[in-house]
Amino acid sequence: MNVKFEKFLATVERYLKPLPTSERVDIVKEIKGSILEMEQGDLSEEEILKRLGEPKDLAKAYLGDLMAEESGFSFTRVLTVCAFYSVAGLSGMFVIPVLGIVAPVFIVTGVLSVLCMAVKLTDYIFHLGLPYMENIGMFSINGVSVMNPFGEFFAALVIGAVLCFLGQGAWKLLKFYCIKVGKTKKDLSI
Amino acid sequence: MNLDKWKSQIARGTLEYCILLMLRQKTCYGYEILQELSKYPMLASTESTVYPLLRRLLKENYLEAFWKDSAEGLPPRKYYSLTPLGEEYVMRMSEEWENLLNAIVCLKGEKNER
């Protein structure tokens, strides 16, 4: 298959990430089938791409339709209920600021802690003698590091990764929450 | 005078019914449904409207689907057919559709009498 089409399908698949793998694969398989049928039907590459539209929009069409039905997933229910009550402004006053602060702070902290530890490690390796290095560290007794800098760097990487992951999760939750509120508002025609 | 907006609203509102009517007659695959719809100017649609709709109807159990390999050179196709629930659904839709058409006939009729 043509490179442009492969790229198109890859982009659609990327935007379908919120869906389980089996669904994503099935959707892409069906669209690919369509493309091949259109090629057989003597449509030009341009015509085919025009008909399919932007890959992002195509993916959104699938996501929008699927988000519309609530499955038995209880966490979704909890959020929907929160969104429902937040239309009156209650939980929104809590959820939005908390998530809105947690998300960037965790991500920034995660990145910074790795960077700081990288600096300390560089100082150690190259014996640069940078000042304040003893202030960077996690496992120290009376100002003396217990772990060697390589170990500390590795620990920083792990903790940084966890923080970034949590921050991203908080961000996704926040977005999901806002979408749910928007949809609930629409459904209630408020 | 531009009827396009209204026409697209009507098309959007009846697309589900039209697809189910089609599947009531015969099991079809996605692309085939698009081809059939394109015969009717007001109903012509693309993958981005029809495929997610089919997927939703499948999830709601009005349709069932299976993949089948095709002849040489053609891609495998996902075929859709009505479930018993789907049969009942489209029957009820047809009833409501009749009611709507009758209402329109009445509304048209009254104007002619004036």
Side-chain angles (χ1 to χ4, degrees):
Chain A
M1 193 191 250
N2 175 322
V3 171
K4 276 208 181 148
F5 293 143
E6 298 278 4
K7 199 163 162 231
F8 181 89
L9 289 170
T11 314
V12 174
E13 177 154 16
R14 208 177 71 228
Y15 282 112
L16 289 175
K17 273 237 194 86
L19 297 178
T21 316
S22 56
E23 285 226 43
R24 224 185 312 146
V25 165
D26 192 83
I27 290 174
V28 172
K29 191 176 173 189
E30 204 175 8
I31 298 173
K32 182 172 179 179
S34 230
I35 294 178
L36 291 167
E37 304 262 8
M38 285 192 266
E39 276 186 313
Q40 291 269 345
D42 289 325
L43 267 87
S44 74
E45 176 190 291
E46 223 180 66
E47 288 171 325
I48 296 178
L49 286 173
K50 187 162 173 228
R51 165 157 150 172
L52 293 171
E54 287 298 312
K56 186 175 184 184
D57 296 330
L58 183 50
K60 281 209 286 197
Y62 281 98
L63 295 173
D65 242 41
L66 290 173
M67 272 242 261
E69 0 112 35
E70 271 359 3
S71 44
F73 188 36
S74 61
F75 187 56
T76 314
R77 284 268 160 74
V78 170
L79 276 179
T80 316
V81 170
C82 287
F84 175 81
Y85 285 112
S86 85
V87 171
L90 293 170
S91 67
M93 277 173 53
F94 174 74
V95 172
I96 294 177
V98 167
L99 289 178
I101 291 173
V102 163
V105 167
F106 271 37
I107 294 177
V108 168
T109 312
V111 171
L112 272 183
S113 59
V114 174
L115 281 178
C116 286
M117 204 49 84
V119 169
K120 179 171 180 187
L121 186 63
T122 317
D123 174 67
Y124 176 75
I125 294 174
F126 297 109
H127 299 287
L128 295 172
L130 293 173
Y132 302 119
M133 284 300 108
E134 62 275 9
N135 289 326
I136 301 175
M138 282 179 276
F139 307 97
S140 54
I141 302 172
N142 293 334
V144 179
S145 286
V146 173
M147 233 208 248
N148 86 53
F150 284 99
E152 284 194 310
F153 181 68
F154 182 69
L157 266 180
V158 171
I159 293 178
V162 170
L163 282 174
C164 282
F165 178 71
L166 288 176
Q168 269 198 322
W171 183 247
K172 284 207 182 112
L173 260 180
L174 182 61
K175 281 206 304 196
F176 182 61
Y177 178 83
C178 291
I179 292 175
K180 268 277 176 283
V181 174
K183 190 185 170 292
T184 310
K185 268 186 107 171
K186 208 169 70 164
D187 284 342
L188 299 176
S189 318
I190 292 175
Chain B
M1 193 176 308
N2 193 331
L3 276 97
D4 286 346
K5 211 167 159 199
W6 177 73
K7 280 161 80 175
S8 90
Q9 276 186 318
I10 300 283
R12 230 179 307 141
T14 47
L15 193 60
E16 187 172 334
Y17 183 40
C18 295
I19 290 178
L20 289 170
L21 284 174
M22 215 189 290
L23 291 173
R24 188 150 149 271
Q25 309 280 16
K26 113 186 207 338
T27 301
C28 305
Y29 58 97
Y31 193 70
E32 193 181 354
I33 294 176
L34 285 170
Q35 298 285 80
E36 186 68 25
L37 287 175
S38 68
K39 292 186 187 164
Y40 312 95
M42 248 174 98
L43 296 177
S45 306
T46 65
E47 281 77 5
S48 59
T49 352
V50 172
Y51 284 12
L53 178 58
L54 288 169
R55 189 157 288 263
R56 179 170 56 81
L57 290 168
L58 186 58
K59 282 214 155 174
E60 293 174 340
N61 266 313
Y62 294 126
L63 300 178
E64 50 197 358
F66 59 91
W67 280 97
K68 187 159 164 234
D69 283 329
S70 316
E72 190 81 39
L74 289 170
R77 292 165 173 164
K78 189 171 179 184
Y79 288 84
Y80 297 88
S81 59
L82 286 185
T83 59
L85 192 66
E87 298 264 6
E88 192 186 332
Y89 188 46
V90 76
M91 252 188 348
R92 306 253 225 120
M93 278 174 140
S94 290
E95 282 170 20
E96 296 298 337
W97 189 256
E98 276 305 309
N99 294 339
L100 180 62
L101 290 185
N102 288 334
I104 294 175
V105 164
C106 290
L107 290 169
K108 275 212 230 160
E110 278 178 16
K111 183 160 196 263
N112 286 338
E113 272 163 7
R114 239 181 260 143

